[in-house]
């Protein structure tokens, strides 16, 4: 009987969602399921933010594992603040890239109390645990960290994860290190590298035994959105603000120009960020990419 | 109390011996090394008829019978076989204790009537073990020591309450199972049977052979009792299903488990309990027993959850459940239980959420193992690799959700890296001068030129703790030997695990951020530094 009441409650909630237009493919209510990252241009391209209840992939080369980890951790911080998070990782990844440190998680501006770590033996076990976790709507986000190429994570597996995420509303974040992208049903795909952090004057540093005038500042990512199901792609330098727990545009801080080239907007698809203000209904954007 | 000896000469684990001993009338013996001599440790009836006995030297045995079959003793296999028999005995009573080297003690208080009384139970056990290829001697008595003496002296007897002293009086002393020295000493004193010793004054015996022996004697005579120490603690609740016709199909086994779970949960609910750990025991007709355990974070009170956990566990078994010729007994026991507190959970989504997370953790743990799904607790230490403790989530979920973590410093970039290497990886560092910050370093065949660096942050090891973090690798002093420190620098060798570390946060020219440390204080602790990469920042 208690069970029946809970399911009634869930059904009523879903009804309210539907009445408010909570269908996932666009529509006015889609904004409810999108979480703004804080980076103005990226949010504009993502039509308001990163979609909840979908799967997002992050790829990085081997040496850039920590930067990709930081980017995914930041997405977790945006998508699921104060919600339980399950971080599923493959044993080999921890040996190769170092284990996720909760002291670092804390310093990153996130709350370690909500993190449950799963130490899967191999990619297959990790995938199974992730699929289970994505079906549990009590979680805020599920991260699957896999090192290297594996035949287990293919289009079929990715489709399963997407369906599970859509059913429960939990966001799945795939962290693939030292792997090449394969076809998948993910909502977005990011390629992440570390970027040079904004300088701080040395007198701000706490324990400085510093000779030149600069020490380093907040984490900065060179994030390339290479695939977006419902919009255009882009390439930005994003700075993570650990105190406010949101991204911001690294260039807007008056930092010097970055050494990495930033891709220009393609000529055939004009840059919408300059014309569409971020708080305009995101459904207004008319183009769409599929595949 | 029932005592049984699976084989009169021991060596139940030696398969060749068992085969030869049963199938053949030719004499065979098992030899073991005793004081640098090979002596007989077990033998079959044919060998005993030749006049051999336990303790005879191998050379003597060979002289008596040149073509005698000789096998080496294998105590590990013996112990494993005894363990397997003890598992099998679990079908008669949950309280089974080992009595090494080749005995078992079963506490059958309150169990005998289930098997048609003591005599019938004794016969059932002996016949079944004999069918499995063991030679068994067994006895039932009020105390464990008395039963052991009966088993060794005159197997097959059942001693009624109060008749212990009379039953063991005529038995030889070795049946008590005391030390060899004591048995030999008593025999030299002219005391040959237990009755002889019992007739002497207790204080005389205690003065010469110690109080322990007197206690043993009292137990043999039924004047005092001591509980046996069972191999497993008896479960709080237990249900089982016996099959006249063994079952082997997966669906029947699953249905049986489900029905057992239903019964178990009804009983536990009546007591206000829920199961935290469940053991399913599968008893095969040929004597093999498999026990499969699932654990849960919250006490379980619903059959579907138990079903699902066991399904996950059975699916994930590395060596699947092998029914062989079928299981004739399936048992479900709740070996750990907790009180259930009913919480109202209609509109309070928070309670519902934590319950669902807990259930999810149980399911994943059933498949990949409870120690592989963890939550984190902060520790009061500055040493980075010890600052966080990862503990099984099933047991520490509530503690981890409420613990207070140290707050981060506002406005600062992260002071600790997101990824930590365990152990720290050695790197080759170029520094401008010995005390200086690193200028460039080589790690995993990649060369990183450092653009910005901040530090050092000095972390000293905790000298007040006896255990220290493991040093990454043994110190290689080859360089120091080749280049002895110049000038007045003298260095005492100290424990490498206790060296002070100076940490630097460094960013290379591409923007990758590293956490490097220099081990030791120059001139005081070490002559040359070693550098390590401990972590990588985002």
């Amino acid at each position: 009987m208690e069970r029946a009441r809970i399911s009634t409650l869930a059904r009523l909630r879903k009804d309210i969602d539907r009445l408010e237009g909570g269908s996932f493919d666009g529509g006015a209510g889609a904004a409810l399921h999108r979480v703004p990252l804080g980076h103005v241009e990226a949010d504009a391209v993502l039509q308001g933010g990163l979609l909840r209840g979908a799967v997002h992939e992050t790829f990085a080369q081997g040496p850039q594992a920590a930067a990709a980890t930081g980017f995914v951790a930041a997405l977790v911080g945006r998508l699921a603040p104060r919600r339980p998070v399950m971080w599923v990782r493959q044993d080999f990844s921890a040996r190769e890239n170092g284990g996720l440190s909760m002291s670092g998680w804390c310093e990153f501006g996130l709350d370690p109390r909500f993190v449950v770590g799963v130490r899967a033996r191999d990619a297959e076990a990790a995938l199974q645990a992730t699929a289970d976790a994505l079906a549990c709507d009590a979680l805020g986000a599920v991260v699957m960290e896999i090192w290297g190429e594996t035949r287990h994570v293919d289009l079929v597996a990715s489709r399963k994860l997407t369906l599970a995420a859509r059913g429960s509303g939990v966001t799945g974040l795939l962290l693939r290190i030292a792997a090449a992208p394969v076809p998948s049903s993910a909502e977005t795909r990011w390629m992440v590298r570390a970027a040079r952090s904004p300088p701080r004057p040395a007198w701000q540093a706490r324990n400085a035994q510093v000779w030149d005038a600069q020490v380093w500042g907040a984490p900065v990512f060179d994030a390339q959105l290479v695939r977006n199901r419902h919009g255009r792609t882009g390439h930005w330098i994003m700075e993570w603000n650990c105190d406010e727990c949101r991204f911001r545009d690294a260039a807007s801080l008056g930092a010097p120009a970055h050494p990495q080239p930033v891709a220009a907007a393609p000529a055939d698809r004009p840059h919408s960020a300059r014309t569409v203000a971020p708080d305009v209904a995101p459904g207004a954007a008319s183009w769409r990419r599929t595949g | 109390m029932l005592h049984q000896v699976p084989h009169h000469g021991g060596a139940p684990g030696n398969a060749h011996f068992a085969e030869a001993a049963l199938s053949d009338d030719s004499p065979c013996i098992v030899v073991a090394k005793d004081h640098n001599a090979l002596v007989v440790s077990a033998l079959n009836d044919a060998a005993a008829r030749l006049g051999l006995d336990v303790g005879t030297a191998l050379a003597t045995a060979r002289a008596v019978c040149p073509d005698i079959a000789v096998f080496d003793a294998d105590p590990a296999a013996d112990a494993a076989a005894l363990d397997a028999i003890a598992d099998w005995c679990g079908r008669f009573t949950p309280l089974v204790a080992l009595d090494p080297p080749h005995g078992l003690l079963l506490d059958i208080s309150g169990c005998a009537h289930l098997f048609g009384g003591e005599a019938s139970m004794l016969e059932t056990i002996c016949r079944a073990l004999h069918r499995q290829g063991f030679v068994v001697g067994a006895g039932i008595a009020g105390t464990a020591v008395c039963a052991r003496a009966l088993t060794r002296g005159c197997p097959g007897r059942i001693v009624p309450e109060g008749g212990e002293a009379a039953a063991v009086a005529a038995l030889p002393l070795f049946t008590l199972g005391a030390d060899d020295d004591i048995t030999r000493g008593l025999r030299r004193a002219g005391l040959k049977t237990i009755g002889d010793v019992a007739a002497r004054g207790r204080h005389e015996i205690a003065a010469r052979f110690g109080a322990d022996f007197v206690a043993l004697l009292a137990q043999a005579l039924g004047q005092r009792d001591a509980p046996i120490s069972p191999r497993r603690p008896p479960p709080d609740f237990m249900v089982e299903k016996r099959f006249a016709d063994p079952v082997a199909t997966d669906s029947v086994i699953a249905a049986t488990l489900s029905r057992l779970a239903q019964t178990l949960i009804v009983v536990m609910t009546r007591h206000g309990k829920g199961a935290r750990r469940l053991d399913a025991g599968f008893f095969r007709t040929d004597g093999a027993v498999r026990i499969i355990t699932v654990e849960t974070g919250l006490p379980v009170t619903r059959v579907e959850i138990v079903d699902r956990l066991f399904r996950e566990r059975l699916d994930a078994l590395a060596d699947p459940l092998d029914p062989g010729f079928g299981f004739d007994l399936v048992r479900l026991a709740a070996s750990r239980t907790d009180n259930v507190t009913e919480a109202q959970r209609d509109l309070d989504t928070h309670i519902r959420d934590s319950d669902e997370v807990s259930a999810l953790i149980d399911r994943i743990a059933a498949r990949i193992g409870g120690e592989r799904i963890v939550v984190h607790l902060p520790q009061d230490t500055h040493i980075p690799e010890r600052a966080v403790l990862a503990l099984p989530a099933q047991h520490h979920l509530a503690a981890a959700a409420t613990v207070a973590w140290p707050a981060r410093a506002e406005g600062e970039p992260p002071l600790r890296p997101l990824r930590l290497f365990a152990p720290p990886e050695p790197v080759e560092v170029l520094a401008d001068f010995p005390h200086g910050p690193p200028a460039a370093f080589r790690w995993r065949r990649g060369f990183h030129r450092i653009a910005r660096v901040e530090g050092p942050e000095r972390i000293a090891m905790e000298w007040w703790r006896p255990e220290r973090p493991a040093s990454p690798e043994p110190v290689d002093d080859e360089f120091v030997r080749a280049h002895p420190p110049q000038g007045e620098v003298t260095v005492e060798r100290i424990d490498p695990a206790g060296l002070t570390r100076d940490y630097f946060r460094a960013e290379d020219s591409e923007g990758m951020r590293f956490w490097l440390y220099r081990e030791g204080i120059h001139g005081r602790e070490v002559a040359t530094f070693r550098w390590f990469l401990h972590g990588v920042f985002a």
Side-chain angles (χ1 to χ4, degrees), chain A residues 114-125:
Chain A
F114 294 102
V115 179
V116 177
V118 180
R119 303 171 167 183
R121 205 169 280 114
D122 48 25
E124 198 180 357

Side-chain angles (χ1 to χ4, degrees), chain A residues 22 73 75 80 88 99 117 132 140 198 256 273 291:
Chain A
L75 294 186
V88 184
D132 268 12

Side-chain angles (χ1 to χ4, degrees), chain A residues 102 119, chain B residues 371 373-379 387-393 396:
Chain A
M102 282 300 134
R119 303 171 167 183
Chain B
E371 73 292 342
I373 176 158
V374 294
V375 288
H376 307 87
L377 290 177
Q379 299 295 302
V388 178
L389 202 60
L391 293 168
H396 299 93

